[in-house]
Amino acid sequence: MGKVVMNASVSVDGFIAADDDDPGALFEWLVSGAVPLDDSGVLNVSQASYDHIRPYWDQIGVTIAGRHVFDITDGWDGTPPSGIDHVIVVTHRPAPVGWDPNAPFHFVDGIEAAVATAQELAGDRIVEVAAGDVGGQVLAAGLVDEVRMDVAPVVLGSGKRYFGSINGQHLLEDPDEVIQGNRVLHLRYQVRRRPASPSSLQGEREV
C-alpha cells in the first residue's frame, strides 16, 4: 500500500493562498528556472527543484482534494492534473450536473473513506493529499505518513492555512530533506506516530 503524502507550496507564515484563493507569489519558483518540469512549456524550475519534484510527481497515483478546490478549478475539465490517474473529491455533494461519469474522479463523503478509496486505486503508488482543510483533517485522523512543503519566501499575513483548521499538537520527525531551489526551500518530514497508550498495550498483552 502506497504512503499518504500531504503537499503544497506555502508561505513562510504558513498559508497556501490568500482568503480569495489567490496564491500570489507562492508559485514563482515554478517559473524561476531553466529546467522544464513537464511538457506544458510553462513550468521551468531550477535543477535542484527538478531533481526533488519530478521523481515525486512520477510516483503519485491518486490525489485527494476538497470540493472547493474541485470547484475553483472547474474539475480540471475532467482530466486529473500532472498526469495523475485518479482524483478523489471529498464532498457531501454529488458530482455536478452533466459531469462525465467516465472521468477518473470519485466523489467520496468522509476523510477515512476517501483515503481508503485512494489507496485501493493507487496500489503501491503515492496518495497525495492537498494541503488545507482536507489535508489537515487527514493529518488529524492519523492517516498522513509524510508532509512535504515547498516554502516560498513570501509573507501573506492571512489566508488559507497549510494545515487548515487543525487543532491540537502533531509531531513530525526531523526533516529528512532540505533542498534550496530558486525562490523556494523544499522540506520533507515524516509524521511521528503516537506511541500506544499503556491501556492499549495492556489489552494487547491480555489477548
Side-chain angles (χ1 to χ4, degrees):
M1 183 177 296
K3 62 184 176 182
V4 178
V5 180
M6 187 175 176
N7 179 53
S9 292
V10 59
S11 67
V12 293
D13 55 344
F15 298 102
I16 58 174
D19 289 317
D20 63 357
D21 296 309
D22 183 359
L26 290 181
F27 295 151
E28 187 176 303
W29 68 273
L30 285 164
V31 293
S32 293
V35 182
L37 187 56
D38 59 15
D39 296 328
S40 68
V42 175
L43 304 182
N44 294 282
V45 298
S46 67
Q47 186 66 56
S49 290
Y50 179 89
D51 292 343
H52 175 75
I53 295 294
R54 188 67 254 179
Y56 166 68
W57 279 14
D58 291 340
Q59 294 178 69
I60 299 171
V62 179
T63 287
I64 299 176
R67 184 59 179 259
H68 180 65
V69 172
F70 174 85
D71 287 341
I72 65 175
T73 60
D74 292 323
W76 294 280
D77 295 324
T79 301
S82 303
I84 295 166
D85 294 335
H86 298 270
V87 174
I88 306 295
V89 182
V90 182
T91 180
H92 300 299
R93 292 179 283 149
V97 175
W99 180 256
D100 181 1
N102 296 316
F105 286 70
H106 311 265
F107 299 84
V108 179
D109 185 357
I111 294 300
E112 288 81 4
V115 172
T117 301
Q119 289 186 313
E120 181 178 353
L121 290 168
D124 61 357
R125 299 181 70 192
I126 287 174
V127 171
E128 181 180 64
V129 183
D133 284 333
V134 167
Q137 292 175 50
V138 177
L139 178 68
L143 300 174
V144 172
D145 301 305
E146 180 178 294
V147 171
R148 295 173 68 110
M149 309 176 85
D150 302 314
V151 184
V154 180
V155 177
L156 290 182
S158 64
K160 306 293 178 70
R161 296 171 56 195
Y162 181 96
F163 291 104
S165 56
I166 191 172
N167 291 315
Q169 177 176 274
H170 297 270
L171 297 180
L172 308 177
E173 300 294 350
D174 290 341
D176 52 17
E177 276 194 325
V178 180
I179 296 172
Q180 182 177 349
N182 293 348
R183 303 296 297 166
V184 66
L185 184 66
H186 303 291
L187 303 175
R188 185 177 73 181
Y189 303 89
Q190 304 306 310
V191 176
R192 179 176 294 181
R193 296 305 181 190
R194 294 172 179 165
S197 66
S199 60
S200 66
L201 291 175
Q202 179 65 29
E204 290 180 3
R205 286 194 293 268
E206 293 173 351
V207 172

